[in-house]
Amino acid sequence: MIPVAEFKQFTEQQPAFKVLKPWWDVLAEYITIAMLMIGVFGCTLQTSADYVSQIICKEYTENPQATNASEEDQAITTAPPTSTREMSGLRNNLDLQQYSFINQMCYETALHWYAKYFPYLVVIHTLIFIICGNFWFKFPGTSSKIEHFISILGKCFDSPWTTRALSEVSGETTQEKTAERDISKTNFDETSPVTGDLPVPEKIVAETPSASVLDKKEGEQAKALFEKVKKFRHHVEEGDILYSMYMRQTILKVCKFVLITVYNAALVGKIHFIVPCRVHTEDMTGYNSFCCNHTKAHLFSKLAISYLCFLGIYGLTCFYTLYWLFRRPLKEYSFRSVREETGIGDIPDVKNDFAFVLHLIDQYDSLYSKRFAVFLSEVSENRLRQLNLNHEWPADKLRQKLQQTPEGRLELHLFKLPGLPDTVFEVTETESLKLELLNEVIIPPLVSKLVRLEELALVNCPAKVQHASLTYLRDHLKVLQIKFDDVKEIPLWVFSLRGLEELHLFGYLSQDVSKNATLESLRELKSLKVLTLKSNLSKVPQTVADVASHLLKLSVQNDGTKLLTLNALKRLSLLKDLELIRCDLERIPHAVFSLNNLQMLDLKENSLHTIEEIISLQHCRKLSVLRLWHNQIAYIPEHIRKLKGLEELCLNRNKILVLPPQLFLCTKLRHLDLSYNEIREVPPEIGVLQMLQFLALTGNFLEDLPNELFFCQRLKTLKLGQNKLTSLSPKIGSLVSLVKLELKGNRFDVLPPELGSCTSLKKTGFSVEHSLLETLPLDVKERLSEEL
């Protein structure tokens, strides 16, 4: 007897797989179980009883028509008449053995093969149907995807975030939606320049009072689910192996059904109760012809009819499956109804195998697709990310990151976060907010809580704002810094900040300035006073001239790209500070000479070899700071004396050999930096600089210093390191205001004790070798060691 449990592994799948079995597959599965039971029952009967039983029949060879009659009719009509001789057999006391032998011979030779093997055929056919119906659950190419999908589906269905997201959407009031529509309509003219960068109100992430419902652990689990769904979708949408495999196994089942139905219907009539049999045993038994009774024929015929009935129903399910497969495109799945029902408008439609499995899920329960769709939505993901961020970065933790900038502002610097925590806006003392390498930054209306915010820095961090946020930033933001890799990363809403006073742009722009739509938008910044362009410009944009009426400082910092055209500078009549750094300039640009209000000119890291045209700077009567550092200047022209108003001159890191005496006719100099040149001598005329407070001669070839140097009694900083000085004049004691003195790297043997007269000089501001410091008298060392 064959136990049904042996076939359990073919008929049972894991309970989770039921979600991918529509009603017709479930019905077909139950039908196959019924057919399998019929086959097993028939096999059991076949093995638990005699094959056939026989009786002796008289053979009528004299009847010429007997050869044309059927064997069964001949057997029935051979009942002996009373006129014939009485039949008698041989007696050999082997009745049982003869019976068994004839029984077996009749079963093997006379019984139709269909009547003999019908139960086994039923079992085989049913097993084939079971394999066809479940092959895609076992095939490696499809089973891995199915198992992965079912695993994710179950977690998405049970995730607390799914319930949270759906309840939040369903809980939106009509008043809130009306307010969103009003926001999108009001002040349309003002927001038109930034429409492309303003997010849809639905996508603005804001913390809700129910945020505490989801704890940190559940939030991390939901975050992991979002990543799994993304990867699974990307992997599955590329192909259609699931759809193809399901289609092929369905077609195979239909073909198998047609074949089985045809040959079973044709052969079911071959199951007879009486079967004539001829066995040549006359020498042993005395008879050759027998009438065999197939004892299970009646029952087998009923089982065959029942089997055909179940097979017909199974076939109908197969044809319906084909109809469902071809009725509509199953490689496309639309979440339109889910979007309308939930209000989450960004749920994307899917295709290929991802769409097919969702169609199957809908046949089981459409609620699965609805809850699964939550993890396809960027809006939902943004809400979750925001919630996790708020858990990870509470206000107290952010407050500990506050630091003071060189400008004296309290700065909050956030680096490499997946978003902007709402808790940032609870740190109300923030004056400068720096966002670096943050993903998906959206500045919500909560920014209005930062009442002291004046500066915003976006370092490789594109940001979007809502209209209410933009209104607040327009009135309060004074300084904006943006660092970018692509000019498209500059948000257009920046140029609607009409109250902005300082704008600093760091990144590569197109060499064709006319194609820089970003720079064309500068004219919108009506209050701009400081503009920094750290890029690769070949000419100063004409749009800079559009802000000429209020621009006070312009800084162009190139990456070594030669700045060819500077005509736009001539229109900057109010410009006070001009920086042209690393612009590969070989001469001072002539456009600079027409800037009558210029106070500071910085030409750092260019290719200046000569500055003969420096005489033209006398037209810039307000010029007080001139920085020509990090160039190739070989000499200083004598007409530098024309710059009477010069207070700071930086010529460090050039190739200057000689200092002209005319340099020291700039009597207003307070800061003079000549370090790292090739100067061998300092003219005695330096004593004329009675206003001098900072003098740097580090890194030259000085062997001696003029005593006139020590007439500059207002000197606070004197840097003489890395020269060839062998002695220091005792007159250094006259520099009573000296705070910082650098002597390291010279050839001194001793230091003059008159250093003790420099009452403002302390050990912290005195840079010299320790061995030389020991040559000073004890009282001088003690005084230098005193704290301020």
Side-chain angles (χ1 to χ4, degrees):
M1 182 175 181
I2 303 176
V4 180
E6 294 294 331
F7 305 99
K8 186 177 181 180
Q9 56 177 328
F10 298 102
T11 58
E12 285 191 1
Q13 296 289 334
Q14 298 178 7
F17 282 82
K18 63 183 180 181
V19 296
L20 289 179
K21 288 190 174 183
W23 65 265
W24 53 84
D25 281 348
V26 176
L27 178 60
E29 184 176 340
Y30 282 109
I31 294 173
T32 54
I33 293 175
M35 292 191 295
L36 186 63
M37 292 178 64
I38 291 175
V40 172
F41 180 63
C43 291
T44 304
L45 291 177
Q46 188 83 329
T47 57
S48 62
D50 293 335
Y51 296 120
V52 294
S53 59
Q54 71 279 351
I55 60 174
I56 300 168
C57 299
K58 181 181 178 181
E59 181 180 15
Y60 284 90
T61 57
E62 300 86 356
N63 188 0
Q65 296 179 352
T67 57
N68 297 327
S70 65
E71 293 181 357
E72 184 177 355
D73 294 339
Q74 182 180 355
I76 296 174
T77 57
T78 53
T82 55
S83 60
T84 61
R85 64 181 178 85
E86 186 176 336
M87 293 184 296
S88 62
L90 300 177
R91 297 182 179 273
N92 51 20
N93 296 322
L94 295 175
D95 297 343
L96 292 177
Q97 289 78 1
Q98 294 172 2
Y99 181 87
S100 298
F101 173 75
I102 296 171
N103 191 357
Q104 186 66 35
M105 290 296 296
C106 289
Y107 179 81
E108 293 296 336
T109 59
L111 195 64
H112 195 275
W113 66 268
Y114 183 78
K116 292 189 290 184
Y117 302 118
F118 161 72
Y120 304 106
L121 293 174
V122 172
V123 172
I124 294 172
H125 295 159
T126 305
L127 290 178
I128 293 175
F129 282 133
I130 292 175
I131 292 172
C132 291
N134 296 279
F135 182 73
W136 74 320
F137 292 126
K138 300 294 184 181
F139 182 67
T142 56
S143 62
S144 58
K145 293 182 175 63
I146 293 174
E147 291 173 3
H148 192 190
F149 173 72
I150 291 175
S151 174
I152 294 175
L153 182 68
K155 293 176 180 178
C156 292
F157 189 86
D158 297 330
S159 174
W161 175 248
T162 310
T163 305
R164 164 78 184 278
L166 293 176
S167 63
E168 279 185 356
V169 173
S170 61
E172 285 185 348
T173 61
T174 306
Q175 184 178 2
E176 290 173 342
K177 294 181 180 179
T178 305
E180 289 178 355
R181 289 194 297 269
D182 293 340
I183 287 175
S184 63
K185 292 180 181 179
T186 55
N187 297 326
F188 176 80
D189 294 336
E190 295 182 1
T191 60
S192 57
V194 295
T195 302
D197 284 88
L198 290 178
V200 180
E202 287 183 349
K203 294 189 178 182
I204 296 299
V205 180
E207 185 62 34
T208 60
S210 60
S212 59
V213 175
L214 201 69
D215 60 27
K216 182 177 180 179
K217 181 179 179 181
E218 293 171 336
E220 291 298 327
Q221 291 174 348
K223 179 182 177 182
L225 275 178
F226 272 105
E227 292 300 321
K228 289 182 179 179
V229 170
K230 282 183 180 179
K231 292 179 180 179
F232 178 78
R233 178 188 173 191
H234 177 73
H235 177 61
V236 173
E237 271 193 318
E238 294 178 351
D240 60 350
I241 186 171
L242 295 178
Y243 176 82
S244 300
M245 186 62 69
Y246 190 84
M247 173 73 75
R248 291 169 184 172
Q249 71 181 27
T250 301
I251 294 175
L252 182 60
K253 287 193 296 183
V254 171
C255 295
K256 184 70 175 177
F257 159 75
V258 173
L259 176 64
I260 295 174
T261 302
V262 170
Y263 93 80
N264 273 273
L267 297 178
V268 70
K270 297 297 182 179
I271 302 177
H272 301 294
F273 181 75
I274 299 176
V275 179
C277 176
R278 178 179 293 274
V279 181
H280 298 284
T281 58
E282 185 174 2
D283 296 336
M284 181 177 64
T285 61
Y287 307 101
N288 288 332
S289 299
F290 302 90
C291 290
C292 299
N293 296 331
H294 186 195
T295 56
K296 300 298 187 293
H298 181 74
L299 184 56
F300 277 8
S301 62
K302 303 301 181 185
L303 289 177
I305 294 173
S306 300
Y307 171 69
L308 290 176
C309 292
F310 282 117
L311 186 64
I313 300 174
Y314 184 88
L316 292 177
T317 63
C318 295
F319 282 112
Y320 182 83
T321 304
L322 283 180
Y323 165 74
W324 180 76
L325 288 172
F326 291 107
R327 182 183 58 178
R328 57 177 179 173
L330 298 180
K331 292 186 180 182
E332 298 176 359
Y333 188 91
S334 174
F335 284 100
R336 183 177 61 181
S337 60
V338 179
R339 291 193 291 264
E340 294 174 354
E341 182 179 353
T342 62
I344 305 177
D346 72 323
I347 301 175
D349 294 337
V350 295
K351 59 183 180 179
N352 289 336
D353 277 346
F354 201 10
F356 178 64
V357 293
L358 289 174
H359 280 294
L360 289 177
I361 290 295
D362 281 344
Q363 297 297 322
Y364 181 79
D365 191 346
S366 60
L367 181 61
Y368 277 89
S369 298
K370 177 180 176 181
R371 294 177 71 88
F372 185 77
V374 171
F375 290 88
L376 294 171
S377 166
E378 290 187 7
V379 171
S380 176
E381 186 175 7
N382 289 338
R383 289 196 182 109
L384 177 65
R385 183 187 301 115
Q386 198 68 28
L387 187 60
N388 289 338
L389 274 174
N390 295 341
H391 279 306
E392 185 178 356
W393 294 96
D396 293 339
K397 184 177 179 180
L398 291 173
R399 195 170 279 110
Q400 296 174 2
K401 294 176 66 65
L402 285 173
Q403 295 180 347
Q404 198 166 26
T405 63
E407 293 79 13
R409 296 189 180 98
L410 280 177
E411 180 183 77
L412 178 59
H413 183 192
L414 301 180
F415 178 72
K416 279 191 175 181
L417 297 184
L420 182 63
D422 289 334
T423 50
V424 167
F425 309 109
E426 298 177 15
V427 188
T428 55
E429 58 267 38
T430 302
E431 297 174 318
S432 174
L433 181 60
K434 185 175 182 180
L435 308 178
E436 184 173 0
L437 295 174
L438 268 65
N439 299 326
E440 307 265 339
V441 172
I442 300 176
I443 302 178
L446 292 173
V447 71
S448 60
K449 292 184 177 181
L450 302 180
V451 294
R452 301 174 62 183
L453 183 66
E454 294 183 352
E455 181 177 358
L456 177 63
L458 303 174
V459 181
N460 296 109
C461 177
K464 299 180 181 179
V465 297
Q466 198 176 5
H467 177 71
S469 309
L470 183 61
T471 303
Y472 180 81
L473 293 176
R474 182 187 295 131
D475 297 335
H476 292 79
L477 202 61
K478 303 300 180 185
V479 182
L480 179 62
Q481 300 180 23
I482 300 178
K483 184 176 181 180
F484 55 91
D485 293 329
D486 188 346
V487 67
K488 296 180 181 180
E489 296 178 11
I490 303 178
L492 295 180
W493 56 264
V494 167
F495 303 101
S496 64
L497 302 175
R498 298 177 182 176
L500 195 65
E501 296 180 358
E502 296 185 25
L503 176 61
H504 307 274
L505 299 177
F506 305 95
Y508 287 96
L509 299 169
S510 172
Q511 287 292 336
D512 188 355
V513 182
S514 61
K515 295 182 180 180
N516 284 322
T518 300
L519 297 182
E520 291 295 327
S521 303
L522 286 174
R523 59 174 59 93
E524 303 294 333
L525 304 177
K526 302 299 182 182
S527 301
L528 193 65
K529 296 179 180 179
V530 178
L531 175 61
T532 300
L533 300 174
K534 188 174 182 180
S535 184
N536 58 335
L537 298 176
S538 59
K539 61 181 180 179
V540 177
Q542 290 294 330
T543 51
V544 173
D546 295 333
V547 292
S549 60
H550 43 81
L551 194 64
L552 300 179
K553 179 178 179 180
L554 173 63
S555 177
V556 178
Q557 303 176 23
N558 269 4
D559 60 351
T561 303
K562 191 175 185 61
L563 192 61
L564 299 173
T565 307
L566 297 98
N567 294 330
L569 295 178
K570 296 180 179 180
R571 297 178 57 185
L572 304 178
S573 57
L574 298 180
L575 195 67
K576 293 182 178 181
D577 296 347
L578 176 61
E579 295 179 351
L580 301 175
I581 299 174
R582 297 193 67 195
C583 297
D584 196 25
L585 299 175
E586 297 179 357
R587 291 184 176 273
I588 301 176
H590 291 280
V592 174
F593 305 143
S594 60
L595 303 178
N596 297 327
N597 289 297
L598 191 65
Q599 297 179 6
M600 190 273 291
L601 176 62
D602 190 343
L603 299 177
K604 181 181 180 182
E605 296 186 31
N606 282 282
S607 301
L608 300 177
H609 289 80
T610 178
I611 51 174
E612 285 291 341
E613 62 276 6
I614 200 172
I615 190 172
S616 300
L617 287 175
Q618 63 182 322
H619 300 296
C620 305
R621 300 185 182 277
K622 296 183 179 181
L623 184 66
S624 61
V625 179
L626 179 59
R627 296 171 180 165
L628 303 172
W629 45 2
H630 297 263
N631 281 280
Q632 306 294 323
I633 300 171
Y635 69 96
I636 302 174
E638 295 180 357
H639 44 253
I640 195 173
R641 67 182 184 275
K642 299 289 185 179
L643 305 182
K644 298 292 185 181
L646 209 59
E647 296 182 5
E648 179 181 337
L649 177 61
C650 295
L651 288 166
N652 54 303
R653 297 189 183 277
N654 280 281
K655 296 182 178 181
I656 300 172
L657 297 173
V658 179
L659 296 178
Q662 293 80 2
L663 170 64
F664 305 107
L665 295 178
C666 302
T667 55
K668 291 186 179 181
L669 276 175
R670 298 174 182 271
H671 184 108
L672 179 59
D673 192 345
L674 298 168
S675 57
Y676 298 101
N677 280 280
E678 300 176 13
I679 301 170
R680 299 180 181 273
E681 184 180 1
V682 177
E685 286 81 2
I686 193 172
V688 178
L689 303 179
Q690 292 298 306
M691 305 294 292
L692 194 63
Q693 298 180 11
F694 180 97
L695 176 61
L697 293 166
T698 305
N700 283 282
F701 300 97
L702 299 176
E703 297 180 356
D704 194 11
L705 295 174
N707 289 332
E708 289 81 1
L709 172 63
F710 304 106
F711 294 165
C712 305
Q713 296 185 2
R714 294 189 181 183
L715 270 176
K716 294 182 178 180
T717 301
L718 179 59
K719 296 185 176 183
L720 301 171
Q722 301 180 36
N723 280 281
K724 298 181 180 181
L725 298 173
T726 57
S727 63
L728 187 62
S729 174
K731 293 185 178 181
I732 195 170
S734 62
L735 302 180
V736 294
S737 299
L738 200 62
V739 175
K740 186 171 183 179
L741 177 61
E742 180 183 311
L743 299 175
K744 185 177 292 188
N746 284 281
R747 301 174 181 178
F748 297 119
D749 293 328
V750 294
L751 294 177
E754 285 79 8
L755 282 172
S757 300
C758 300
T759 55
S760 299
L761 184 63
K762 302 300 178 184
K763 190 175 181 179
T764 55
F766 189 22
S767 176
V768 69
E769 287 83 356
H770 182 72
S771 59
L772 285 175
L773 191 61
E774 293 298 324
T775 64
L776 291 172
L778 182 60
D779 58 333
V780 176
K781 290 191 292 184
E782 290 178 352
R783 196 200 60 74
L784 289 174
S785 300
E786 292 177 357
E787 296 182 1
L788 294 175

